[in-house]
Amino acid sequence: PGMSISATGKPIENKSNDLMIYPNPSSEIIYIQPVRDAYARYTIYNVQGMQVKAGILTGNEINVSDLNSGLLIIVMQHDHMTYYGKFIKK
């Protein structure tokens, strides 16, 4: 449990609830913690599972002002780790 294998055969440790996202709810900017190193890939999905935004985190903030209101799920990948979080866009 908690481990899966990537397409390259390397183990990926899956952790849930590891991301602290604030402010939550947010209308413009969310801040992500813990992000110790820059250049983590993120993907944001709506509750229907459709990707609504993706990019590379170069600090600890993401501008979400262009997203529709509602519950959103963020998946962040960095250094063979996958982190999950939820936030509400106002």
Side-chain angles (χ1 to χ4, degrees):
M3 293 294 285
S4 60
I5 303 297
S6 71
T8 62
K10 295 180 181 179
I12 299 173
E13 185 174 343
N14 294 315
K15 294 187 174 188
S16 59
N17 300 325
D18 276 353
L19 293 178
M20 183 171 77
I21 301 168
Y22 61 94
N24 192 3
S26 178
S27 58
E28 294 184 18
I29 301 286
I30 58 170
Y31 297 92
I32 309 288
Q33 299 234 338
V35 177
R36 292 177 198 82
D37 301 315
Y39 306 110
R41 293 186 178 276
Y42 70 86
T43 307
I44 299 175
Y45 299 92
N46 63 20
V47 292
Q48 289 82 28
M50 296 174 54
Q51 178 180 318
V52 295
K53 189 168 187 145
I56 297 176
L57 190 68
T58 57
N60 72 334
E61 66 182 55
I62 299 172
N63 185 331
V64 296
S65 63
D66 57 333
L67 300 179
N68 291 332
S69 298
L71 178 64
L72 298 168
I73 298 144
I74 185 166
V75 178
M76 186 164 293
Q77 296 177 323
H78 179 67
D79 198 25
H80 305 292
M81 302 286 283
T82 302
Y83 301 94
Y84 301 91
K86 296 178 191 174
F87 67 97
I88 296 173
K89 165 63 169 64
K90 295 197 261 187

